[in-house]
């Protein structure tokens, strides 16, 4: 992705900010820096950026269970998010302003410890492509004050260190860089997010839809799926796979069998009708496979058969066709599942082959198994 050029700044160096990145910290630090600039700050404390980093990582860790660091090593950003989530009464979709207010006022020693770990390297290493003086290993891991003085001797950095005092340290962003970053903020944010997506996909190779997991999802449109299931329920008996009750058209909520926060899609073969109460209870969990998958397969097979059996009902046919166009986007799956030639046993086998890998992968990522009570 090409970044906007500047006659006064070295954009070639800038484009290399995320080269050879082994941890996530650079992405989140720079993202936090941009957010503070958008808020009108040019003198920014380390803590200002750290709080934005935690808020940015919040949903992808608590809801999507994304791994932020390399396998086998502890990632302090991921760990501090998990610590706060386990300790406080916050939800994955917590209001960002509320979370930031908590972080600014918290005197929790563990949170402060995590923050101190996060600033050991990234504030100093982010701008390494710009440095025209050598910094040896002893200097990198030595006195932060001495390291900051040596870095400050470089020209045309994005920011300079105004004071060094732990998480209260202050950086000051160069005016030329402030102008460049704010004028091109949308392009730069897109470049940053693309770089972060590539990084996260590498760290989470089995997780689908990484691009949709950088933040909380927007409201999803499941109207066509709901209309399809209502039309089916009007002509044939469909039982709620979680309660065993016969479904009615009066209280339908469309559930993602494997949570949307893992699969990041609205494919029909993963959608099933339930009630709002049950859907809320299930939340972001995995239904017990042995109990609920056979029921899911039966409900989907019965619905599929009803579409063909009652082919003279125009409302049902239109709802089914509209739903297939919107919610079945893989031609191979369409051929394997939605055929008139499949009996129930074969349909169940095919559905299991499609759904089970996502289910197992979600479980490996930390999604909990749920049973309806």
């Amino acid at each position: 992705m090409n970044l906007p050029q500047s006659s006064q700044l070295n954009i070639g160096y800038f484009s290399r900010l995320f080269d050879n990145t082994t941890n996530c910290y650079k992405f989140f630090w720079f993202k936090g820096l941009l957010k503070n600039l958008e808020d009108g700050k040019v003198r920014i404390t380390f803590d200002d950026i750290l709080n934005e980093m935690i808020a940015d990582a919040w949903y992808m860790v608590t809801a999507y269970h994304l791994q932020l660091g390399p396998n086998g090593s502890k990632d302090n950003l991921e760990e501090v998010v998990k610590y706060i989530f386990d300790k406080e009464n916050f939800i994955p979709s917590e209001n960002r302003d509320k979370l930031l207010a908590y972080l600014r006022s918290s005197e929790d020693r563990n949170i402060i410890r995590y923050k101190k770990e996060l600033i050991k390297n990234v504030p100093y290493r982010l701008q390494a492509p710009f440095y025209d003086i050598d910094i040896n290993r002893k200097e990198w891991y030595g006195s932060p004050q001495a390291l900051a003085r040596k870095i400050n001797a470089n020209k045309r950095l994005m920011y300079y260190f105004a004071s060094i005092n732990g998480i209260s340290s202050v950086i000051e962003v160069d005016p030329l860089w402030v102008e460049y970053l704010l004028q091109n903020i949308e392009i730069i944010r897109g470049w940053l997010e693309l770089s972060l997506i590539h990084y996260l996909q590498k760290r989470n190779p089995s997780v689908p839809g990484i691009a949709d997991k950088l933040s909380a999802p927007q409201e999803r449109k499941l109207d066509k799926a709901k209309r399809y299931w209502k039309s089916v329920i009007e002509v044939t008996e469909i039982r709620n796979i979680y309660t065993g009750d016969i479904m009615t058209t009066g209280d339908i909520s469309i559930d993602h069998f494997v949570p949307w926060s893992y699969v990041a899609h609205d494919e029909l073969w993963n959608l099933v009708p339930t009630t709002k109460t049950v859907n809320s209870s299930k939340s972001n969990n995995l239904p017990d496979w042995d109990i609920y998958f056979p029921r899911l397969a039966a409900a989907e097979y019965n619905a599929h058969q009803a579409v063909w059996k009652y082919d003279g009902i125009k409302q049902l046919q239109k709802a089914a066709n509209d739903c297939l166009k919107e919610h079945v986007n893989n031609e191979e799956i369409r051929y394997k599942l939605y055929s008139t030639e499949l009996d129930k046993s074969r349909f169940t086998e095919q559905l299991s082959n499609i759904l089970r890998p996502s289910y197992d992968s979600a479980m490996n990522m930390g999604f909990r198994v749920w049973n309806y009570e």
Side-chain angles (χ1 to χ4, degrees):
M1 182 174 180
N2 294 325
L3 293 168
Q5 292 301 305
S6 169
S7 60
Q8 297 175 292
L9 301 171
N10 193 320
I11 306 306
Y13 290 164
F14 177 64
S15 68
R16 292 169 48 204
L17 284 188
F18 308 122
D19 286 1
N20 304 315
T21 302
T22 56
N23 291 89
C24 70
Y25 309 143
K26 287 182 180 180
F27 302 106
F28 288 94
W29 179 268
F30 183 61
K31 193 173 184 180
L33 173 65
L34 290 180
K35 183 62 172 64
N36 277 275
L37 289 179
E38 287 184 288
D39 291 342
K41 298 177 183 178
V42 294
R43 286 178 62 89
I44 308 167
T45 68
F46 282 11
D47 202 43
D48 289 334
I49 298 179
L50 288 167
N51 294 333
E52 295 290 344
M53 290 172 67
I54 295 170
D56 282 330
W58 182 262
Y59 199 85
M60 64 179 70
V61 171
T62 60
Y64 298 142
H65 301 273
L66 292 186
Q67 181 175 309
L68 301 186
N71 286 327
S73 66
K74 185 174 72 172
D75 183 279
N76 285 295
L77 182 56
E78 184 180 338
E79 292 298 317
V80 69
V81 169
K82 290 179 177 177
Y83 171 77
I84 297 169
F85 185 67
D86 291 340
K87 176 178 179 290
E88 302 295 336
N89 190 31
F90 290 137
I91 58 176
S93 57
E94 191 62 67
N95 178 275
R96 184 184 180 92
D97 290 338
K98 181 179 177 181
L99 183 59
L100 286 170
Y102 166 80
L103 292 168
R104 293 181 187 120
S105 62
S106 176
E107 296 181 358
D108 185 296
R109 292 183 179 180
N110 287 317
I111 295 175
I112 294 171
R113 176 175 58 82
Y114 280 121
K115 286 182 173 182
K116 287 181 177 179
E117 288 294 322
L118 285 167
I119 62 168
K120 282 185 175 180
N121 290 296
V122 66
Y124 312 101
R125 289 187 180 272
L126 177 69
Q127 301 188 94
F130 290 91
Y131 300 162
D132 55 16
I133 54 178
D134 291 330
I135 300 176
N136 60 43
R137 180 178 177 82
K138 184 177 180 181
E139 290 171 319
W140 279 121
Y141 295 100
S143 163
Q145 290 81 3
L147 179 59
R149 285 195 297 271
K150 187 160 189 178
I151 291 172
N152 281 349
N154 290 274
K155 296 179 180 179
R156 282 289 175 261
L157 298 180
M158 283 190 296
Y159 59 80
Y160 292 85
F161 299 95
S163 67
I164 297 296
N165 182 26
I167 63 174
S168 297
S169 300
V170 177
I171 61 172
E172 185 166 356
V173 186
D174 182 273
L176 288 175
W177 277 107
V178 173
E179 181 181 8
Y180 174 83
L181 293 171
L182 291 180
Q183 282 184 350
N184 302 289
I185 190 71
E186 294 303 326
I187 296 174
I188 292 168
R189 186 184 288 114
W191 166 69
L192 167 62
E193 291 189 353
L194 182 61
S195 301
L196 179 56
I197 288 166
H198 289 161
Y199 170 85
L200 290 173
Q201 193 66 74
K202 182 179 179 181
R203 298 299 178 210
N204 302 269
S206 64
V207 177
I210 290 290
D212 294 315
K213 296 179 177 178
L214 300 189
S215 58
Q218 301 298 312
E219 183 178 0
R220 298 184 296 280
K221 295 182 179 180
L222 297 172
D223 293 346
K224 292 179 181 178
K226 183 178 289 189
R227 195 176 303 120
Y228 163 73
W229 278 108
K230 280 187 174 182
S231 298
V232 169
I233 288 167
E234 287 176 348
V235 301
T236 193
E237 181 180 287
I238 298 292
R239 291 188 175 272
N240 189 318
I241 71 168
Y242 302 121
T243 68
D245 299 331
I246 296 174
M247 292 293 304
T248 68
T249 59
D251 181 21
I252 283 186
S253 178
I254 301 300
D255 170 56
H256 292 72
F257 189 80
V258 178
W260 186 95
S261 56
Y262 181 76
V263 296
H265 64 61
D266 300 316
E267 293 297 290
L268 180 60
W269 43 267
N270 189 50
L271 302 179
V272 66
T274 184
T275 63
K276 293 178 182 178
T277 301
V278 174
N279 207 351
S280 177
S281 174
K282 175 177 174 283
S283 186
N284 197 33
N285 296 310
L286 288 165
D288 187 301
W289 181 271
D290 293 336
I291 296 173
Y292 299 115
F293 174 75
R295 301 180 189 179
L296 172 72
E300 292 208 20
Y301 181 76
N302 290 342
H304 174 56
Q305 289 300 301
V307 171
W308 295 101
K309 181 178 179 181
Y310 300 102
D311 62 354
I313 300 178
K314 292 182 178 179
Q315 180 181 345
L316 173 59
Q317 295 306 312
K318 185 178 187 309
N321 289 334
D322 289 347
C323 186
L324 286 171
K325 289 177 183 177
E326 179 77 16
H327 296 294
V328 181
N329 293 291
N330 184 300
E331 286 299 323
E332 183 178 359
I333 289 177
R334 182 189 291 260
Y335 173 77
K336 284 182 176 180
L337 271 185
Y338 303 104
S339 166
T340 57
E341 299 175 0
L342 291 183
D343 60 21
K344 185 177 178 180
S345 176
R346 183 61 177 156
F347 179 90
T348 301
E349 180 185 359
Q350 293 282 48
L351 182 60
S352 178
N353 291 339
I354 294 165
L355 196 56
R356 190 62 194 250
S358 294
Y359 183 97
D360 289 343
S361 185
M363 185 181 292
N364 290 336
M365 290 295 295
F367 286 81
R368 289 178 290 187
V369 175
W370 169 88
N371 286 283
Y372 178 71
E373 296 180 1

